[in-house]
Amino acid sequence: MPGSYSRPLLNLPKPPDMFARDWEWSELTAFAADEGPEATMAVVSGRRRQGKSFLLDSLARAAGGFYFCAYEATEAESLRRFGEELGQYTGSIAPMRFDRWEQAVDALLALGRDKPVPVVIDEFPYLARATPSLPSIVQVAYGPRRPERLESRTRILLCGSSLSFMGKLLSGTSPLRGRAGLELVVQPLDFRQAAAFWGIERDPRLALLVHSVVGGTPAYRREFVRDDVPAGLDDFDAWVCRTALSPRSPLYREARYLLADESDLRDRALYHSVLAALASGNATAGRIAGCLERPTSDITHPLTVLQDCGLVRKETDAFRRNRSVYRVGEPLIAFDHAISRPKLPLLDRGLADQVWASSRPRFLSGVVGPHFEQICREWVAHFAAPDTFGGMPIDVSYGTVPDQAERTAHEIDVVVRGAVGQDNGVLLSLGEAKWDQVMGMGHLERLRHAATLLTRRGVETSAVRLACYSGAGFTEELRAAGDRGEVVLVDLERLYRGE
């Protein structure tokens, strides 16, 4: 039945040269080796450089399937290439010839008449741009009562890097809605995996600094900097200058090319301006519009598209649900707009050392600081043990607590809601995160005051545990409070190795 698949009888071993991706490999192999009747379809997406093609090519090789990677070409040329490669796969004496994609899709269905066969069509958006009716052609081929589908166990996987295109492939009125049995988004490595991938997991401070520049994109280490890894904290500044700030390095221009991968973006200058405004600290739609000197209505659509692309994320205030902020979702873009783009003429002249010397304080405060807060939220969501906050964290965000007496508002960096027993949505924790400050009792008192203000507003705070997250450490007095159970303390060592 479309939309479901059974687990395979035989697991395909993950290639030894594949780093992490255990869950993704498990899902893909389960889909590809499914012994159930009828042809099925999967949609795999994710930004470029995350290893999608490596995953799918490895899957096709391990399962004896067919892998076809499209590129920008006319329909006729794509069909010719497709026929040639399919002919080679099947061992045909001569290349197969297809005049229409209907014939090509049926040829793929015919591959699975005897057993499950995975068929990967990588960079599917290129084919769909040359043949806009291709999604409808696949829909017709997968008709519920069509014999070619019912008599086939072909497992077609459509893959693409344009998140805006791939996201629409199964949504709304798209022809393929309801046809896919698996929808998988290949995400960047999380911050712990990224540290291990770069081989710097033993130095969490260095790992977080590197992650603030390149995030968790695997290709940035292998292809872009050719395994140039900072030797230690003392080498980090020089590493930034010879990679992200060097015109000779592919990493130097990568942030500007990320938008080019999204075919749905028309006015790229506007999108870059929106990202620049975000990187400058303008987090609300109104402030972004003000920075660009445009009405708010002009930036609503760009913000939505950037969210669909995974380049911007929207966060809702935990205590004021009608208030949201926007943040750059890709570290390399945040770094580029905050550090590189304002000084491009100097960087193009090879003056990386001078630019970095003047920009380093801005990097630590404007890039690493907000990134550290996000890493803390990710730690709570994915790595903190349930007993750390007295319940299972479900929703982790930021929050703003108004203080009418002081005519101000307290920003809470890490707000945790979760499940305690049968109760969901319980407020579990209020936390403050400081990358470059040794935190003390003053930070704890501010959190206590915020909890009191919430109680006065009628918010249930009986289960709240206060938390301090620091990249620079804690005073002895605050550590003593932690030992007494008055506050949860999370340092870099705990972020990268603890629960």
Side-chain angles (χ1 to χ4, degrees):
M1 182 176 179
S4 64
Y5 58 94
S6 60
R7 290 289 167 180
L9 300 177
L10 179 66
N11 289 324
L12 297 172
K14 192 181 82 168
D17 58 345
M18 182 178 293
F19 180 84
R21 302 304 189 195
D22 294 337
W23 176 79
E24 290 90 343
W25 182 256
S26 174
E27 292 297 314
L28 289 171
T29 54
F31 173 82
D34 174 24
E35 292 286 350
E38 306 177 5
T40 53
M41 181 178 62
V43 172
V44 181
S45 60
R47 293 205 312 272
R48 290 193 190 280
R49 329 297 188 200
Q50 306 307 325
K52 299 184 304 302
S53 296
F54 180 69
L55 261 173
L56 295 172
D57 184 49
S58 299
L59 173 71
R61 291 174 184 270
F66 174 60
Y67 176 88
F68 176 76
C69 185
Y71 53 68
E72 290 185 288
T74 64
E75 180 181 54
E77 183 181 357
S78 295
L79 281 168
R80 179 185 57 78
R81 279 191 58 238
F82 184 85
E84 290 175 352
E85 295 190 24
L86 185 58
Q88 292 174 1
Y89 171 77
T90 60
S92 174
I93 297 176
M96 294 184 174
R97 294 183 59 86
F98 302 109
D99 298 322
R100 297 176 294 123
W101 276 110
E102 288 88 344
Q103 300 167 335
V105 174
D106 279 349
L108 295 178
L109 292 177
L111 296 176
R113 284 177 180 163
D114 299 324
K115 62 179 182 180
V117 175
V119 170
V120 177
I121 302 180
D122 203 354
E123 297 301 350
F124 181 74
Y126 288 152
L127 300 180
R129 280 206 290 271
T131 310
S133 61
L134 188 54
S136 296
I137 291 172
V138 177
Q139 175 203 23
V140 172
Y142 270 71
R145 301 178 64 85
R146 194 164 183 266
E148 290 85 351
R149 172 181 167 273
L150 297 175
E151 297 169 5
S152 170
R153 283 185 288 173
T154 293
R155 313 304 180 204
I156 291 184
L157 299 102
L158 306 179
C159 179
S161 301
S162 174
L163 292 185
S164 55
F165 177 91
M166 298 302 291
K168 295 174 183 176
L169 204 57
L170 300 177
S171 63
T173 59
S174 171
L176 294 180
R177 180 173 181 176
R179 301 292 185 186
L182 172 67
E183 185 176 4
L184 179 68
V185 180
V186 180
Q187 301 284 0
L189 301 174
D190 66 50
F191 69 94
R192 286 186 173 183
Q193 292 174 331
F197 185 73
W198 281 80
I200 52 178
E201 67 272 28
R202 294 186 179 181
D203 190 339
R205 188 171 187 84
L206 176 62
L208 197 138
L209 286 171
V210 170
H211 197 270
S212 298
V213 178
V214 295
T217 298
Y220 292 163
R221 176 184 175 178
R222 297 289 190 228
E223 291 90 345
F224 280 63
V225 302
R226 294 175 295 175
D227 288 324
D228 182 355
V229 178
L233 277 174
D234 292 341
D235 186 41
F236 175 74
D237 291 348
W239 175 81
V240 171
C241 292
R242 65 179 181 258
T243 56
L245 297 181
S246 171
R248 296 187 298 274
S249 171
L251 199 61
Y252 177 66
R253 295 176 179 82
E254 171 66 5
R256 282 154 269 174
Y257 293 155
L258 287 175
L259 284 179
D261 292 334
E262 299 296 335
S263 58
D264 289 352
L265 305 189
R266 297 292 181 258
D267 185 0
R268 286 193 172 85
L270 174 59
Y271 288 89
H272 277 295
S273 295
V274 170
L275 290 171
L278 281 169
S280 299
N282 299 285
T284 65
R287 290 184 62 184
I288 296 169
C291 180
L292 302 185
E293 298 183 358
R294 294 199 179 203
T296 304
S297 57
D298 281 5
I299 57 96
T300 300
H301 178 68
L303 283 171
T304 300
V305 174
L306 288 169
Q307 289 177 73
D308 293 341
C309 299
L311 301 180
V312 166
R313 64 178 181 272
K314 182 180 180 180
E315 298 178 2
T316 302
D317 192 309
F319 306 118
R320 301 163 67 183
R321 307 304 293 184
N322 62 340
R323 184 177 185 270
S324 299
V325 297
Y326 297 89
R327 308 185 196 274
V328 179
E330 167 53 48
L332 187 60
I333 287 182
F335 178 89
D336 181 71
H337 281 277
I339 307 301
S340 303
R341 285 175 67 88
K343 302 291 180 66
L344 282 180
L346 297 177
L347 292 172
D348 287 339
R349 289 163 50 196
L351 302 178
D353 291 339
Q354 293 90 323
V355 169
W356 182 242
S358 63
S359 302
R360 195 176 190 276
R362 177 181 174 86
F363 168 72
L364 294 175
S365 61
V367 177
V368 183
H371 189 69
F372 178 69
E373 295 174 9
Q374 178 59 25
I375 291 296
C376 292
R377 289 189 282 266
E378 291 179 11
W379 177 81
V380 172
H382 301 294
F383 300 107
D387 59 357
T388 298
F389 299 107
M392 178 64 70
I394 295 175
D395 179 66
V396 186
S397 60
Y398 85 104
T400 307
V401 181
D403 188 341
Q404 295 181 349
E406 297 294 331
R407 295 184 179 181
T408 186
H410 300 279
E411 296 285 341
I412 309 299
D413 301 319
V414 186
V415 180
V416 185
R417 294 186 184 274
V420 178
Q422 300 299 312
D423 297 329
N424 292 321
V426 178
L427 184 60
L428 297 179
S429 178
L430 303 175
E432 184 163 357
K434 297 295 182 185
W435 162 250
D436 57 350
Q437 291 183 26
V438 176
M439 301 185 73
M441 292 301 294
H443 297 93
L444 178 57
E445 291 302 327
R446 199 178 79 86
L447 290 171
R448 286 172 173 165
H449 181 57
T452 300
L453 293 173
L454 288 172
T455 302
R456 292 173 181 170
R457 292 178 57 198
V459 177
E460 177 56 55
T461 60
S462 60
V464 166
R465 298 187 181 184
L466 307 179
C468 289
Y469 308 78
S470 176
F474 310 99
T475 64
E476 291 298 325
E477 191 176 6
L478 188 61
R479 288 191 178 279
D483 293 339
R484 294 192 299 269
E486 297 174 17
V487 61
V488 176
L489 300 182
V490 182
D491 57 11
L492 286 172
E493 187 70 23
R494 189 170 183 180
L495 275 179
Y496 275 87
R497 297 188 181 95
E499 297 180 324

